[in-house]
Amino acid sequence: MTAEAPSSSPSAASEAATNPNLAHLRFDVRGMTCASCVRRVERALGGVDGVAHASVNLATEQATVDFDPALDVTTLRAAVDRAGYELRLPDAGVDEA
């Protein structure tokens, strides 16, 4: 039996949507080819302390992440890199939700 990443639970998603203290940011993700890749990236992001919710879309090659604004986004990049994919940081600042 495998453990679910905290970011994939419906309660985490609803908490992220209703918590005004979280930052909301969309990243481009490179290197994904299938649904399994999507799950790996979601688990990598969800395993980072401070991430409340992460969802990844294969078709758009984007990850949407709700996280503690104190979290350094380069930590997110490092987690995705360790999973074997490339997370591209946006040029603009964090979009506060």
Side-chain angles (χ1 to χ4, degrees):
M1 187 160 119
T2 60
E4 285 291 314
S7 65
S8 64
S9 71
S11 62
S14 61
E15 174 193 342
T18 60
N19 188 341
N21 297 323
L22 293 176
H24 176 83
L25 200 54
R26 185 170 292 137
F27 302 95
D28 289 335
V29 181
R30 299 290 181 247
M32 299 184 300
T33 59
C34 63
S36 188
C37 296
V38 167
R39 187 68 186 129
R40 284 186 199 109
V41 173
E42 285 179 340
R43 284 185 182 196
L45 290 168
V48 174
D49 286 339
V51 172
H53 179 73
S55 65
V56 178
N57 184 306
L58 179 61
T60 62
E61 295 185 302
Q62 292 186 330
T64 302
V65 185
D66 297 309
F67 59 96
D68 181 339
L71 177 66
D72 183 350
V73 293
T74 58
T75 305
L76 299 174
R77 176 192 277 174
V80 172
D81 284 350
R82 282 191 302 275
Y85 306 92
E86 179 186 358
L87 184 101
R88 295 192 175 191
L89 301 179
D91 294 330
V94 172
D95 176 32
E96 299 283 337

